[in-house]
Amino acid sequence: MSPYTNNSRQNRGRGGSNRHDSGRSDFMTVLLFYVLPFIVVTAAPKGDLTIGEATNFTTTTMELKIKSLLPIKEMTVTLDGNAVELTKTASKTYTATLGSNGTVKVSLTAFNGMKNIFSEQVNVLDDTPPSIKDSIIEDGVLSFRLEDTQSGVNYDTIYAYDDDTPEILPLSIDRSTGLITFDMQKENLTICVKDLIGNEARVTITPQGENLDPEEAAAQASQEAAQASDATAGDSAENDANLETAE
């Protein structure tokens, strides 16, 4: 093989290597001066929010893990608009104890000014009192079922009252089925019962078996009293008119 041929091959090899180095240099230039600055300027902070299970139906926990390349300049965590007190447990991990249901909202602002807002719903706590269902009145005896799907019914707290008696105890309690009976002597009977963590239900039951809350019962009683007063006033006016005619 001639010397000319060997030199030509070596020159061609150097030319390919030069082109390869030039391409790599261009890529690094684009990465360092265009791509990375763009990412730094536009990158929004990220985070994972986890709501724990409720073991006692009164409190639960939340955990917030920050997943952001840039430092966080500002962070706020609220539960239905109220600030949540956080405890830092790791480099980018925070925890808190929550005492009510609602919406946990997290707002993160990164060092570059970009913001991210995300939220999770808390619905594992028991903030609902027992419910009264299937109320029936037969032969002056009221029967109904109590139901509570979370902490459970506190059967020791059940009592009732009417216009004359401030405390009426049930005739019977079946804890296995939730069936309760009361002697119903008056037109309306108000039932009071709590669950195992203290949420209280107050329901007024009418002779027709309707379940009314105390405000509805009071409004109904006020309306009935007004109607009775109007009827009495009408009878009085009619009697006066009859007397004037007789005279």
Side-chain angles (χ1 to χ4, degrees), residues 177-225:
T177 62
L179 184 65
I180 313 297
T181 61
F182 275 92
D183 185 18
M184 192 164 181
Q185 298 295 334
K186 298 293 182 179
E187 288 191 353
N188 291 343
L189 189 67
T190 300
I191 309 298
C192 304
V193 60
K194 296 180 180 180
D195 62 17
L196 292 174
I197 65 169
N199 296 313
E200 184 179 35
R202 286 177 179 262
V203 177
T204 297
I205 299 180
T206 68
Q208 293 75 32
E210 296 178 316
N211 294 359
L212 306 176
D213 63 36
E215 292 184 358
E216 290 175 328
Q220 185 183 76
S222 177
Q223 183 179 10
E224 291 174 353

Side-chain angles (χ1 to χ4, degrees), residues 44-46 76 104-109 114-119:
K46 296 181 180 179
T76 60
V104 175
K105 185 168 72 172
V106 177
S107 176
L108 302 176
T109 304
M114 297 297 290
K115 179 180 289 189
N116 186 17
I117 298 175
F118 51 96
S119 63

Side-chain angles (χ1 to χ4, degrees), residues 21-243:
D21 292 342
S22 176
R24 177 178 294 178
S25 177
D26 292 343
F27 172 76
M28 294 302 296
T29 299
V30 172
L31 179 64
L32 292 174
F33 293 99
Y34 295 96
V35 177
L36 290 180
F38 177 79
I39 293 175
V40 170
V41 171
T42 60
K46 296 181 180 179
D48 285 340
L49 178 61
T50 304
I51 306 299
E53 296 294 329
T55 57
N56 55 6
F57 295 102
T58 59
T59 60
T60 187
T61 59
M62 58 148 282
E63 182 181 69
L64 173 62
K65 291 184 177 181
I66 307 299
K67 296 185 175 181
S68 178
L69 296 176
L70 299 178
I72 299 298
K73 182 174 66 175
E74 183 180 1
M75 175 176 65
T76 60
V77 180
T78 59
L79 175 60
D80 285 348
N82 300 313
V84 174
E85 184 177 348
L86 299 175
T87 299
K88 190 173 184 179
T89 57
S91 174
K92 293 184 177 181
T93 303
Y94 300 84
T95 61
T97 299
L98 307 176
S100 63
N101 290 325
T103 302
V104 175
K105 185 168 72 172
V106 177
S107 176
L108 302 176
T109 304
F111 187 75
N112 61 357
M114 297 297 290
K115 179 180 289 189
N116 186 17
I117 298 175
F118 51 96
S119 63
E120 286 288 344
Q121 193 70 24
V122 181
N123 55 13
V124 295
L125 303 181
D126 186 358
D127 57 6
T128 304
S131 57
I132 294 177
K133 296 186 174 183
D134 304 331
S135 55
I136 300 174
I137 301 173
E138 291 182 347
D139 300 327
V141 175
L142 166 67
S143 63
F144 56 85
R145 287 190 308 106
L146 288 175
E147 187 175 284
D148 190 286
T149 58
Q150 291 186 292
S151 63
V153 177
N154 185 348
Y155 289 97
D156 295 332
T157 66
I158 303 172
Y159 73 97
Y161 64 87
D162 57 26
D163 293 339
D164 296 333
T165 309
E167 183 177 13
I168 303 171
L169 297 179
L171 295 175
S172 65
I173 299 176
D174 188 336
R175 295 172 185 253
S176 62
T177 62
L179 184 65
I180 313 297
T181 61
F182 275 92
D183 185 18
M184 192 164 181
Q185 298 295 334
K186 298 293 182 179
E187 288 191 353
N188 291 343
L189 189 67
T190 300
I191 309 298
C192 304
V193 60
K194 296 180 180 180
D195 62 17
L196 292 174
I197 65 169
N199 296 313
E200 184 179 35
R202 286 177 179 262
V203 177
T204 297
I205 299 180
T206 68
Q208 293 75 32
E210 296 178 316
N211 294 359
L212 306 176
D213 63 36
E215 292 184 358
E216 290 175 328
Q220 185 183 76
S222 177
Q223 183 179 10
E224 291 174 353
Q227 291 173 347
S229 177
D230 292 342
T232 301
D235 292 341
S236 178
E238 183 178 353
N239 292 335
D240 291 343
N242 291 336
L243 289 175

